Amino acid sequence: MGNGFVPVAALVDYELTPTAPPRTTADTAIDSLTHAIEAYVSRKASPFTDAQAIQAMGLIAPNLRCVFDQPENRDAREAVMLGATLAGIAFSNASVALVHGMSRPIGAFFHVPHGLSNAMLLPAVTGYSIVGNERRYSECARAIALAGATDSDHQATQKLLLELDAINNDLRVPTLAEFGVSKASFDDALELMLEQALASGSPANNPRTPSADEIWQIYQQL
Ligand SMILES: [Fe+2]
């Protein structure tokens, strides 16, 4: 990547976002939450990126429903945009993981917006990955205030999984079929999608490193 792709400055202004369509708001917000979670559980995470990722989760997750249901809520907009920016800095250094690796081919083949394909994958990939680093996923649940000091790591991760499903439900994330992708066209693309997901390098950052067969199984769950 050349310097031409790297911005010199970014203007981050939530005042510009209330007129974004609700779907765009939801998809970009879940994408940002995914950046924070993946940066935190990534094999390339560091204390520097952890601080940003944890802060980002605490800002984004509790405000997701509000920015979707109340586009004019300025406090929620500000929190999500600040969280999204922190999450972006976190994953620029810690990288992303299996959700993004599997998401890009869905976008390329079926023109599903990036954040939306991440949202479709986030619960299933998290469910698969938790055993790779239960402690880190439990800390995600605590950062989002889903779990407290009396919850075991296992209980905390189960609450995280339930919340990711509930977010998709509340933000009306469609299934691939509801989005208009037929089972036949998905099956036709599956082999190449698998290849591209693995070639992206992102699955190698995942706390549980998937085989091609496991990626295939997660795609089947969608
Ligand atoms: Fe992303």
Side-chain angles (χ1 to χ4, degrees):
M1 186 172 75
N3 281 340
F5 282 99
V6 182
V8 174
L11 298 179
V12 181
D13 184 354
Y14 69 91
E15 302 266 2
L16 301 173
T17 66
T19 52
R23 187 73 268 139
T24 303
T25 291
D27 296 349
T28 51
I30 299 177
D31 185 33
S32 299
L33 179 62
T34 309
H35 294 156
I37 293 174
E38 294 218 286
Y40 193 71
V41 302
S42 168
R43 289 177 184 271
K44 293 180 183 162
S46 70
F48 180 72
T49 58
D50 287 350
Q52 296 147 349
I54 285 286
Q55 188 78 15
M57 283 179 237
L59 287 161
I60 299 166
N63 288 294
L64 280 174
R65 292 169 177 87
C66 190
V67 287
F68 185 64
D69 295 331
Q70 303 168 34
E72 302 289 340
N73 188 308
R74 299 160 76 89
D75 290 344
R77 288 267 160 196
E78 183 179 19
V80 171
M81 184 159 258
L82 177 57
T85 307
L86 287 167
I89 297 168
F91 93 78
S92 294
N93 289 291
S95 196
V96 283
L98 185 58
V99 176
H100 274 77
M102 292 182 65
S103 176
R104 296 186 198 101
I106 295 176
F109 279 96
F110 303 110
H111 300 171
V112 179
H114 172 75
L116 187 55
S117 52
N118 277 348
M120 291 169 173
L121 281 158
L122 185 58
V125 171
T126 303
Y128 163 80
S129 304
I130 282 171
V131 293
N133 198 335
E134 193 175 55
R135 167 50 60 92
R136 286 244 148 194
Y137 281 102
S138 76
E139 286 163 353
C140 293
R142 294 189 172 94
I144 301 173
L146 297 171
T150 55
D151 288 294
S152 68
D153 287 354
H154 180 71
Q155 285 169 326
T157 58
Q158 295 313 297
K159 288 180 178 180
L160 178 66
L161 278 178
L162 287 174
E163 175 65 358
L164 295 179
D165 273 330
I167 287 171
N168 279 6
N169 191 47
D170 292 345
L171 272 58
R172 294 185 210 110
V173 171
T175 62
L176 271 172
E178 286 165 350
F179 185 83
V181 178
S182 73
K183 175 91 171 75
S185 60
F186 191 75
D187 286 345
D188 280 350
L190 201 50
E191 202 169 318
L192 208 47
M193 284 168 52
L194 249 175
E195 249 174 59
Q196 292 178 350
L198 280 167
S200 75
S202 300
N205 302 326
N206 209 55
R208 182 180 177 189
T209 309
S211 64
D213 191 48
E214 286 170 328
I215 292 179
W216 185 86
Q217 285 173 27
I218 297 168
Y219 272 139
Q220 291 297 323
Q221 287 182 43
L222 304 189

